[in-house]
Amino acid sequence: MRRFLRPGHDPVRERLKRDLFQFNKTVEHGFPHQPSALGYSPSLRILAIGTRSGAIKLYGAPGVEFMGLHRENNAVTQIHLLPGQCQLVTLLDDNSLHLWSLKVKGGASELQEDESFTLRGPPGAAPSATQITVVLPHSLCELLYLGTESGNVFVVQLPAFHALEDRTISSDAVLQRLPEEARHRRVFEMVEALQEHPRDPNQILIGYSRGLVVIWDLQGSRVLYHFLSSQQLENIWWQRDGRLLVSCHSDGSYCQWPVSSDAQQPEPLRSLVPYGPFPCKAITKILWLTTRQGLPFTIFQGGMPRASYGDRHCISVIHDGQQTAFDFTSRVIDFTVLTEADPAAAFDDPYALVVLAEEELVVIDLQTAGWPPVQLPYLASLHCSAITCSHHVSNIPLKLWERIIAAGSQQNAHFSTMEWPIDGGTSLTPAPPQRDLLLTGHEDGTVRFWDASGVCLRLLYKLSTVRVFLTDTDPNENLSAQGEDEWPPLRKVGSFDPYSDDPRLGIQKIFLCKYSGYLAVAGTAGQVLVLELNDEAAEQAVEQVEADLLQDQEGYRWKGHERLAARSGPVRFEPGFQPFVLVQCQPPAVVTSLALHSEWRLVAFGTSHGFGLFDHQQRRQVFVKCTLHPSDQLALEGPLSRVKSLKKSLRQSFRRMRRSRVSSRKRRPAGTPGEVQEGSAKTERPGLQNMELAPVQRKIEARSAEDSFTGFVRTLYFADTYLRDSSRHCPSLWAGTNGGTIYAFSLRVPPAERRMDEPVRAEQAKEIQLMHRAPVVGILVLDGHSVPLPEPLEVAHDLSKSPDMQGSHQLLVVSEEQFKVFTLPKVSAKLKLKLTALEGSRVRRVSVAHFGSRRAEDYGEHHLAVLTNLGDIQVVSLPLLKPQVRYSCIRREDVSGIASCVFTKYGQGFYLISPSEFERFSLSTKWLVEPRCLVDSAETKNHRPGNGAGPKKVPSRKQPGLVMERALLSDESELGGRAWGWQEGWGRGDQGQGRLGRPLP
Amino acid sequence: MNRSFHKSQTLRFYDCSAVEVKSKFGAEFRRFSLDRHKPGKFEDFYKLVVHTHHISNSDVTIGYADVHGDLLPINNDDNFCKAVSSANPLLRVFIQKREEAERGSLGAGSLCRRRRALGALRDEGPRRRAHLDIGLPRDFRPVSSIIDVDLVPETHRRVRLHRHGCEKPLGFYIRDGASVRVTPHGLEKVPGIFISRMVPGGLAESTGLLAVNDEVLEVNGIEVAGKTLDQVTDMMIANSHNLIVTVKPANQRNNVVRGGRALGSSGPPSDGTAGLLGPPAPRVLQNFHPDEAESDEDNDVVIEGTLEPARPPQAPGAPAGSLSRVNGAGLAQRLQRDLALDGGLQRLLSSLRADPRHSLALPPGGVEEHGPAVTL
């Protein structure tokens, strides 16, 4: 009877599947790619960032974040949060305006687009007539003043963007109302600045690019004051009391103008070029902020001496005789200063400077002497140095977590103690259920430890492996760079530094044992480091061992890079993970696989030449095995090094370009997206023609043993299983290669009391050649209950049931093309699932995940989470290898996204959507991390952040009757919300009311 | 074995189930007859032939002239049976010493040139071609076949390429393209996958069953519609050991006409034995069972134990389990025949060695096989 049932149509199983699996992309971590606009609402204390791809992201207190995407996918050029409202207006580079609002739905706020509008001029007018250059939201929140390239100021009414043509302030009207002597100026040209009088909503200031500034009376339609400067106007600032104007100009000067009716003076009160006397670049934005103490803060962007520092991206802060030019690592998009939010307050009293640079966000504490930077709770630049690999560890024991945080806090001593100043909104997300670590390896040889438990990806600790090696860079170079010149008083800020000194330092594989605190890290030049967590700084020598993977293979020549030279003698390491063993593979090819067994104190590593096993307790090599095919010349010549050298030369030419690039004018960044599109359309056309002439072809050729890189070791796995006979289990090491070969070694690890006395022995027990010869990407042993063997030390820490050693074990081999289960110890095929032969997709990433049911708290199943080369994510059941669900997740063209994907042990995952952003997704109904937050305009927060360790804000508890923000999308998600409640241990009763009213599927 | 010797010329007129056989060895003729419906086994036929010619001490190959004048081999039960049943009215048998046969005289049209008399039967046209060198029957192996003719529309062709036992590369390229389909909304252009290039000397080219610009419709029974070029590439490579592609040939003139005289015009070799040969016109039709596609169960080679040799070195550990399954009865039969013919264990070994998977470097050590295994 059973065989007539079509698979996948068992109704019980289908229902169970719905309880176990659902797919959601939950949150984006990291720094937005290509930011193009910054906005801030002092009343909401919410920061908004717009990007070149048309996304807007809002950030408040940690955990409060929103994301919206413009349908047009055009670059966001300006963001204005309407004063006192939960609304914002964005200007895109196609000259369209969009109104967004945060609306409360089901207890949580949602960001949505309400209206969009494009300013239209009279028929026949030049497009520049309506090209918006400045947007001024009026404080009464009903009107938007739009300055244009033609010099006219248009007025539209919100929220419907209703154009009020009779209120337009045309440049002619302004001209007529100017006194005679000021009219000689030819045209006004574009509007560069629009400001509302800080106190009197009837006055606005209009600044034209030729240097004319007028204060316009809205009711009387007349010019109250006018100011003429001799230089091109860049921007203007109106002091809080309305009595002083500060204008900044393209020649690097700024001028102060008193606003008083008696003296209509033609000359500024004071004019100076802060970085003169040699020609300077434009000051593009200036702020003049008053303080209670009396002396103002002058903060401006740009103005550096053109010849010597014209390529720097600087913001200068001048206060009380102190002057610092903060030198950013990438182009400054915009900046804002957090000040007293109450409009009635007498002084600005700035407390933090928020700078959005192209590659990172920097916040500087202006209250603490020395103006230290503030550590970011989110928006971290993941790509400070390019990410080369990542590794996720779920459910970190509290002790290890605290030790890592302690090590990290010592590294962060230079940060300000100020509490995070952007703290609008309330996060409703419950505290994360467990502590998760995401480790990213970087090109510069560092490993960063991120707190990946919740919505905010926060940097905990940074490990650098560079100190172990002798590198080309002179350690004194940085010091000399610091003491360059006294003037201008430059100070480097920010962490973005994509230029690795030596590509060989790059981290390729990471393996952390969360129970023992042992960490293994392997890199580009065949280096494998074993590190141990130490709470004290220590000076120690790193034991070096060379592993010759070629063994007796003669006559081969490695044409790739040299291995790294290690420092001899003891090296001082700061508290944290400290290396004690360095294994260097010979030839020094990239380490392609790594496994650590902390209980047996063994580390296994593999390259394209072979693999080895190292006993890090006794610090001796157990064995090495060469996996090369005799004809595999390519592997020996090290083609990867050639790629690297190309990359290096590219990098150098980029550096040159960067130095010589002339800083682009604001609003006209080098190559606005519009231009880019045009340009690319032109280049695409001949490209398409070529495509038609020579279509893409693919060769159909069976794989043979002679294919290159068959020896490439793809996966290594330790297991305690029945390798030789069914009566005795023993430790074993499994290795799978690119050519579809699996090697199994039985190990003899001496018992703990004689661990140091007897050597670890290994002998080859099996070799399996998969007939289809596809690369082996995963090896796993299932115990007698068909449950994957637990991690080492997991059982010892009572965190896992001990494996069933009575029943017969099974071996699961995942190749790029097939999943196959074999019996053990006699290896015979039992089950298989063909993937590629049937649908043409190949396995790129596979991991075992535990899927909990949202209905029954204690029910869960182990399955395989699989990512294919098409960007699909599938769940394949264990042990029967039945495909369960399938979701498309990543675009198939997004190769780097697919390559960067990492799964967690509980059915979540991360992948890079840009060099600087991880997308987090979840396959599980039970484990879901997504933002859920509330922003209320009525809530007037006007506290100033205190310095020092103030009482931390406790995230407010979930209110009764709330449903999740995304619950409205589908019933399944709604139940996901319910699962959260259980998992969090909140009583079911206190949130049941709202849920019971909803229809269940 | 109801076989009898008749000398009478008149036999065929009163006993229509008998087939007259004219057997020629050098300049000598022998005549005898066989039962058309129960021809018996090849082995017996071989013994009979060498007996009647008194050449039992020498090693010979047997061929026959088919209706088209081609000299085709008789070397197993199937083609023997075919030869007898298609004899019209006379079965002409040609016997050659094996060493002479090495020079290669079998093949399409080979007889035509030698014997104009037979040429009267053949039709003109595509068969007039350059002389093809075809190896000895014992070296034949399945290379390709057209299958499922009764299932596939006449405008399509389902081709099976056997790579096992062949060192040639598959050797073709595919590309994206557009094909025109008739839909309820009229003609529509849809994306399709096409064969773009053949590698000269490759397997695909040598079969003559695939050509440039043929549209690929299915790979091993899975439609390629909606799949990308890379997906189809991966599917083909993953199935490369037993690739079945359904194509819509660009040249529709060589299509199989169902029920036409082409059916069985030249002895169809049985599945998995002496295979199809050069001529591009698809004349050999064979209906494969769908489960046969699975018969090539890829058996992974498992090497057990340590590195110390566990077996005498003269047993070169044949991974024959998979091999025999792939070639099915063919190998067993060949083995049996070879053993029977000249006790040629040596030859068997050498023919096995031709299998590329023998170049698999098996370290000296035990070889454990699962599935039907050949023990030597």
Side-chain angles (χ1 to χ4, degrees), chain A residues 203-252:
Chain A
Q203 291 180 29
I204 61 166
L205 173 152
I206 308 170
Y208 298 95
S209 59
R210 280 300 177 104
L212 174 72
V213 178
V214 298
I215 294 177
W216 183 260
D217 180 10
L218 290 174
Q219 279 185 328
S221 292
R222 62 198 174 97
V223 173
L224 293 175
Y225 309 96
H226 71 274
F227 311 90
L228 271 172
S229 79
S230 54
Q231 289 294 331
Q232 287 264 337
L233 182 72
E234 286 285 333
N235 212 328
I236 210 156
W237 177 254
W238 208 336
Q239 193 181 293
R240 197 178 187 88
D241 57 6
R243 280 190 230 139
L244 184 75
L245 292 182
V246 184
S247 63
C248 55
H249 301 279
S250 59
D251 66 340

Side-chain angles (χ1 to χ4, degrees), chain A residues 80 84 97 171 190 319 381 463 590 696 763 781 784 835 840 878 885:
Chain A
H80 298 274
L97 287 162
S171 50
M190 65 161 99
H319 173 67
S381 286
L463 162 72
V590 177
V696 183
E763 61 182 338
V781 173
L835 203 65
L878 283 179
V885 285

Side-chain angles (χ1 to χ4, degrees), chain A residues 572-779:
Chain A
R572 187 170 172 79
F573 295 104
E574 54 181 27
F577 287 93
Q578 296 173 346
F580 60 93
V581 166
L582 167 65
V583 181
Q584 289 193 295
C585 299
Q586 199 60 292
V590 177
V591 177
T592 55
S593 55
L594 182 71
L596 177 77
H597 199 292
S598 43
E599 196 173 343
W600 305 333
R601 306 283 159 108
L602 296 173
V603 61
F605 48 90
T607 71
S608 49
H609 302 96
F611 59 97
L613 181 68
F614 189 83
D615 173 3
H616 66 77
Q617 179 84 10
Q618 292 182 26
R619 312 208 173 167
R620 54 176 281 280
Q621 183 175 298
V622 180
F623 75 92
V624 291
K625 163 96 184 164
C626 182
T627 54
L628 276 187
H629 192 273
S631 66
D632 200 355
Q633 277 297 329
L634 202 55
L636 297 155
E637 292 176 358
L640 290 177
S641 63
R642 237 172 278 151
V643 176
K644 279 290 178 199
S645 63
L646 173 68
K647 198 173 168 190
K648 194 172 180 182
S649 65
L650 274 178
R651 186 182 299 130
Q652 281 162 349
S653 56
F654 265 114
R655 268 187 196 168
R656 272 196 297 273
M657 264 175 61
R658 228 165 60 102
R659 281 198 204 103
S660 61
R661 200 194 311 161
V662 182
S663 86
S664 46
R665 265 183 60 83
K666 73 166 178 183
R667 265 185 246 111
R668 298 261 168 74
T672 60
E675 286 169 19
V676 168
Q677 277 165 10
E678 260 173 52
S680 62
K682 272 181 210 139
T683 52
E684 256 169 39
R685 205 154 297 136
L688 274 176
Q689 281 165 356
N690 288 341
M691 286 269 287
E692 277 159 26
L693 288 174
V696 183
Q697 291 192 109
R698 293 282 183 276
K699 190 175 189 182
I700 309 298
E701 212 51 270
R703 262 184 304 273
S704 69
E706 289 79 38
D707 273 351
S708 58
F709 280 120
T710 49
F712 194 113
V713 179
R714 289 288 291 265
T715 182
L716 288 163
Y717 177 67
F718 284 109
D720 188 3
T721 188
Y722 300 93
L723 184 58
R724 287 175 174 282
D725 57 68
S726 49
S727 55
R728 219 157 27 87
H729 59 92
C730 66
S732 62
L733 172 67
W734 299 76
T737 72
N738 231 20
T741 313
I742 296 140
Y743 302 94
F745 282 76
S746 69
L747 309 176
R748 215 187 60 79
V749 182
E753 60 274 17
R754 278 170 291 153
R755 183 66 180 79
M756 285 306 283
D757 310 329
E758 294 174 21
V760 177
R761 289 187 198 286
E763 61 182 338
Q764 184 165 349
K766 280 184 173 43
E767 184 178 329
I768 305 167
Q769 173 63 56
L770 298 178
M771 221 54 236
H772 61 287
R773 296 195 183 281
V776 178
V777 292
I779 299 174

Side-chain angles (χ1 to χ4, degrees), chain A residues 625 629-630 695-706 723-724 745 763-773 817-818 820 822 825-829 832 834-842 844 869-870 872 886 892, chain B residues 163-164 168-176 196-197 199 219-220 222 227-241 243 294 297-307 322 357 359-361 363 368-370:
Chain A
K625 163 96 184 164
H629 192 273
V696 183
Q697 291 192 109
R698 293 282 183 276
K699 190 175 189 182
I700 309 298
E701 212 51 270
R703 262 184 304 273
S704 69
E706 289 79 38
L723 184 58
R724 287 175 174 282
F745 282 76
E763 61 182 338
Q764 184 165 349
K766 280 184 173 43
E767 184 178 329
I768 305 167
Q769 173 63 56
L770 298 178
M771 221 54 236
H772 61 287
R773 296 195 183 281
E817 302 188 351
Q818 297 186 359
K820 216 161 179 179
F822 297 90
K826 183 178 185 293
V827 177
S828 63
K832 77 172 163 186
K834 286 184 176 183
L835 203 65
T836 313
L838 300 182
E839 55 196 39
S841 54
R842 307 170 73 86
R844 281 283 174 265
N869 64 334
L870 304 176
D872 287 347
R886 176 185 191 135
R892 63 163 66 106
Chain B
R163 210 184 70 87
H164 277 303
K168 272 187 180 172
L170 281 170
F172 64 103
Y173 290 76
I174 56 172
R175 62 167 170 88
D176 278 318
S196 61
R197 192 150 75 84
V199 174
V219 175
N220 286 53
I222 294 125
K227 293 199 162 61
T228 63
L229 187 63
D230 289 324
Q231 265 174 293
V232 178
T233 309
D234 284 337
M235 285 166 70
M236 288 191 173
I237 290 172
N239 288 305
S240 60
H241 54 282
L243 184 63
E294 289 299 306
E297 190 66 17
D298 39 18
N299 278 355
D300 308 317
V301 180
V302 180
I303 300 164
E304 294 274 355
T306 50
L307 299 166
S322 51
R357 291 186 308 107
S359 59
L360 235 176
E368 188 180 327
E369 279 304 319
H370 310 290

Side-chain angles (χ1 to χ4, degrees), chain A residues 404-632:
Chain A
I404 291 173
I405 288 181
S409 63
Q410 297 189 37
Q411 294 179 328
N412 297 333
H414 65 286
F415 281 115
S416 160
T417 53
M418 176 191 263
E419 260 182 64
W420 182 242
I422 301 163
D423 56 357
T426 314
S427 173
L428 306 175
T429 314
Q434 60 179 28
R435 292 165 293 271
D436 287 356
L437 264 186
L438 181 67
L439 278 66
T440 53
H442 296 264
E443 204 188 17
D444 64 352
T446 58
V447 179
R448 277 158 226 253
F449 290 62
W450 304 91
D451 173 3
S453 333
V455 174
C456 296
L457 193 70
R458 194 163 53 95
L459 181 66
L460 296 179
Y461 165 71
K462 181 177 125 183
L463 162 72
S464 176
T465 60
V466 180
R467 293 189 63 80
V468 180
F469 304 102
L470 287 165
T471 53
D472 305 336
T473 46
D474 186 4
N476 298 324
E477 197 178 281
N478 282 338
L479 293 174
S480 60
Q482 283 293 339
E484 256 175 332
D485 272 325
E486 297 288 307
W487 192 258
L490 290 172
R491 198 170 105 197
K492 281 255 176 225
V493 279
S495 55
F496 179 69
D497 180 17
Y499 308 112
S500 161
D501 298 317
D502 190 339
R504 294 177 297 167
L505 292 169
I507 305 294
Q508 298 293 337
K509 293 285 161 194
I510 305 170
F511 201 109
L512 172 69
C513 172
K514 61 185 178 186
Y515 302 108
S516 61
Y518 281 113
L519 173 71
V521 164
T524 306
Q527 74 270 32
V528 179
L529 280 165
V530 187
L531 306 97
E532 201 175 11
L533 189 55
N534 186 351
D535 298 327
E536 305 289 327
E539 189 157 331
Q540 60 191 46
V542 179
E543 183 136 343
Q544 296 173 42
V545 184
E546 187 182 299
D548 180 16
L549 294 175
L550 286 183
Q551 286 175 293
D552 43 359
Q553 303 253 6
E554 287 298 320
Y556 289 134
R557 198 153 49 95
W558 169 254
K559 294 184 193 160
H561 46 228
E562 304 255 301
R563 69 173 194 189
L564 285 162
R567 270 178 214 279
S568 53
V571 183
R572 187 170 172 79
F573 295 104
E574 54 181 27
F577 287 93
Q578 296 173 346
F580 60 93
V581 166
L582 167 65
V583 181
Q584 289 193 295
C585 299
Q586 199 60 292
V590 177
V591 177
T592 55
S593 55
L594 182 71
L596 177 77
H597 199 292
S598 43
E599 196 173 343
W600 305 333
R601 306 283 159 108
L602 296 173
V603 61
F605 48 90
T607 71
S608 49
H609 302 96
F611 59 97
L613 181 68
F614 189 83
D615 173 3
H616 66 77
Q617 179 84 10
Q618 292 182 26
R619 312 208 173 167
R620 54 176 281 280
Q621 183 175 298
V622 180
F623 75 92
V624 291
K625 163 96 184 164
C626 182
T627 54
L628 276 187
H629 192 273
S631 66
D632 200 355

